[in-house]
Amino acid sequence: MHSLPEGGLPKFIWLSAAFSVFNTVQCMLQPLGMTRRIYSQQPQQVTPLSSHLFAAWTALSAILRYKCAFNMGNEVLFDITFWSYVIADRDDTFTNPMGALRVCIFFFGTNDATNETWHQHTPLDAYGDNLRYFASLLQSPSSEHYSPDTKIMFITPPPVGDRMVEANARVGNTPAVFTNESARKYADMVKTVAGEATIGT
């Protein structure tokens, strides 16, 4: 039985997969039930066909995210999973028939905080600029996604167990690309940007 890797991101992805399974089941068993209540402002758009199509999409997402949660080192699988969130975000978040988005949560930084030799590393200043850009999508009046009533929450990268990372690196004969000190710097950057944008961490 495999166990989840350390860190908050694998747990978040696993939890997302679990919710996708629940959504798949309810869409298949009650295609006009909960789904119609969720999209209550435009219930006429919810049909048995659209609900079953949504079930197929969420089932695929569940499988993909479950596999990714246990295989975070697989770059191809991780990238495909990331884009599954982007596609879902484009479909549901900014064009949600329920109306304005109430809360938007951003959880980035775990891979960005790797050391400079690692391919997923993002320089600290560039990471901060990326966070500011994400916030501006909802806070800037010139943005097509402007949503002044949406609450934004940035979650800081989780702390890293240095000894565990080093032990895993020795076993796998790979470089130790994470350190707790680096994770702290990126977490501090999240707090800095959150203070500038008056948002939550």
Side-chain angles (χ1 to χ4, degrees), residues 101-131:
L101 186 66
R102 295 178 178 86
V103 180
C104 185
I105 301 174
F106 295 103
F107 186 15
F108 300 102
T110 302
N111 292 317
D112 303 87
T114 52
N115 65 44
E116 296 179 359
T117 63
W118 196 245
H119 63 281
Q120 291 178 311
H121 170 76
T122 301
L124 186 60
D125 289 341
Y127 172 70
D129 290 340
N130 289 341
L131 296 182

Side-chain angles (χ1 to χ4, degrees), residues 32-105:
L32 299 181
M34 186 180 297
T35 306
R36 180 163 283 180
R37 291 197 296 271
I38 291 174
Y39 296 97
S40 58
Q41 291 192 5
Q42 298 185 31
Q44 72 280 0
Q45 293 190 9
V46 179
T47 65
L49 176 59
S50 66
S51 189
H52 287 153
L53 286 173
F54 194 63
W57 159 252
T58 51
L60 180 60
S61 297
I63 295 169
L64 187 63
R65 293 167 185 176
Y66 177 83
K67 296 297 290 185
C68 180
F70 288 94
N71 298 275
M72 296 296 290
N74 187 318
E75 182 179 358
V76 174
L77 183 59
F78 182 88
D79 286 345
I80 295 174
T81 303
F82 170 79
W83 282 107
S84 78
Y85 286 106
V86 173
I87 293 171
D89 180 66
R90 292 296 299 178
D91 284 344
D92 297 324
T93 302
F94 295 115
T95 59
N96 197 326
M98 290 189 292
L101 186 66
R102 295 178 178 86
V103 180
C104 185
I105 301 174

Side-chain angles (χ1 to χ4, degrees), residues 171-193:
V171 172
N173 194 27
T174 58
V177 298
F178 294 101
T179 66
N180 198 48
E181 175 62 20
S182 177
R184 183 189 62 79
K185 292 178 181 178
Y186 282 71
D188 288 343
M189 177 60 77
V190 173
K191 297 175 183 178
T192 298
V193 175

